[in-house]
Amino acid sequence: MNNKKIIDGENEYELRTVGNKSKSWFYRNTVGAVKSAGPAKSVLFTVVFILFVVYALMLIVPFAWILMNSFKDKFEFGENPWSLSFSAGFSNYIEAFGYKVKGTTVLGMYLNSLLVVGGGVVVTLISCTLASYTMAKYKFRGRGLIYNIVIIAMMVPIVGTLPAQYRLMKNLGLVDNIIGVWFLYSGGFGFNFLFLYAYFKSISWTYAEAAQIDGASDFRIFIQIMVPMAKPALTAVGVLTFMGLWCDYQTPYFYLNSMPTIALGLKDMSDQLAYNSNYPLVLATAVMATIPILVLFCVFQKTIMNNMTVGGLKG
């Protein structure tokens, strides 16, 4: 270990440069981090690290179990669902591609999901961005009341509003209509609203004031200044919304039953195949349904983890 001392005025800092650039990322963030911390911090770090390892295993083990059993036939799965065997090979995946739910194949359900979820993400971003920006940057009578109503509404269970919501959608003629599903996804409040509200709140209004001096309108300030500055937050919200809507089967189940998405198709497929215990086929379809959101998360992982709190100057 090489020790260097830097004297800057009255302050003396000790730089500890571990000649460990050749060390692995895992070593630097586990053993190296414990060694460089004090005794109290080392104990806290160790406890937190163990908790995160246990939590990670709770997420990884079920997915590994699903992936492993998707390569078995139903008889072998019934005998021992924990055996390391791949007797069926890719036959379950091939069969899953040809399996139909309400006359729609898995490929068709993928396309339905992309259409439903893609439109849902667009309307969600538009409505939440407009609502959160207006609440964060403009002062008007009733603003605090609206914010409190949003918080209270988030406490009401979905099943508590489902009958009234379904009656309203039916009266509007939007049941079994993709526009109706987009309409439901377009609510401008909820977690996305709170997150974007906090983000817009952190952007200094001095940017808008400078633009107003140059004669920019409110709409131009919103489109050309505020939205570009909130791009990291909007990207994170868009990705998380896509992942959430991709796994949503309840909304298509009630309001788009004739156009099954991959989540709804998987639910119906599970109900149908439960009678002959062909669970490996269901698990193979579940793996195929999970691939898009895994890829999306891997691509935008840094955006979600690192850029969610990046904003302008505090205002």
Side-chain angles (χ1 to χ4, degrees), residues 204-216 221 225-226:
S204 176
W205 189 244
T206 55
Y207 299 111
E209 291 175 346
Q212 287 174 346
I213 294 175
D214 293 333
I221 291 171
I225 297 178
M226 294 300 175

Side-chain angles (χ1 to χ4, degrees), residues 23-288:
K23 299 287 187 181
S24 66
W25 175 90
F26 182 78
Y27 179 88
R28 293 197 307 270
N29 290 276
T30 54
V31 179
V34 172
K35 287 182 177 179
S36 62
K41 290 183 178 180
S42 298
V43 174
L44 179 61
F45 179 88
T46 303
V47 172
V48 173
F49 180 76
I50 293 174
L51 291 176
F52 273 105
V53 168
V54 173
Y55 179 70
L57 290 175
M58 291 172 61
L59 298 178
I60 294 173
V61 170
F63 183 77
W65 182 85
I66 292 173
L67 183 63
M68 176 182 67
N69 284 289
S70 67
F71 293 98
K72 297 179 182 178
D73 57 48
K74 63 179 182 180
F75 302 106
E76 186 176 8
F77 173 81
E79 292 177 0
N80 188 2
W82 291 100
S83 63
L84 293 174
S85 176
F86 306 96
S87 58
F90 289 94
S91 60
N92 289 325
Y93 290 88
I94 297 173
E95 185 178 354
F97 263 109
Y99 195 91
K100 291 186 178 182
V101 174
K102 298 176 182 177
T104 306
T105 62
V106 169
L107 182 59
M109 287 185 279
Y110 261 104
L111 296 176
N112 291 342
S113 292
L114 289 174
L115 184 60
V116 173
V117 175
V121 170
V122 171
V123 298
T124 297
L125 284 176
I126 293 174
S127 59
C128 289
T129 303
L130 292 172
S132 59
Y133 175 75
T134 303
M135 290 284 293
K137 293 302 183 184
Y138 293 96
K139 295 181 179 180
F140 52 90
R141 184 172 297 180
R143 175 173 166 230
L145 177 62
I146 295 174
Y147 187 86
N148 291 331
I149 291 175
V150 171
I151 301 298
I152 295 173
M154 293 179 64
M155 302 177 186
V156 180
I158 296 177
V159 294
T161 60
L162 187 59
Q165 184 184 81
Y166 185 85
R167 181 67 178 269
L168 174 64
M169 295 291 289
K170 188 173 182 180
N171 291 338
L172 293 175
L174 295 177
V175 175
D176 209 10
N177 188 330
I178 192 172
I179 296 178
V181 175
W182 291 342
F183 175 75
L184 290 175
Y185 289 152
S186 66
F189 299 108
F191 169 77
N192 292 336
F193 164 80
L194 294 179
F195 175 73
L196 291 176
Y197 173 84
Y199 198 93
F200 280 120
K201 198 79 173 175
S202 70
I203 300 177
S204 176
W205 189 244
T206 55
Y207 299 111
E209 291 175 346
Q212 287 174 346
I213 294 175
D214 293 333
S217 63
D218 290 338
F219 183 74
R220 187 175 180 182
I221 291 171
F222 171 68
I223 295 295
Q224 295 187 352
I225 297 178
M226 294 300 175
V227 170
M229 293 185 67
K231 185 178 178 181
L234 294 174
T235 302
V237 168
V239 173
L240 294 176
T241 300
F242 185 96
M243 295 169 64
L245 298 185
W246 185 270
C247 300
D248 176 29
Y249 77 88
Q250 179 175 284
T251 303
Y253 179 79
F254 284 106
Y255 303 106
L256 202 62
N257 204 263
S258 63
M259 187 178 174
T261 60
I262 189 67
L264 177 57
L266 183 61
K267 187 264 179 189
D268 289 347
M269 187 178 181
S270 177
D271 293 341
Q272 294 174 12
L273 295 177
Y275 295 101
N276 59 5
S277 301
N278 196 353
Y279 293 107
L281 182 58
V282 179
L283 297 179
T285 309
V287 172
M288 293 164 58

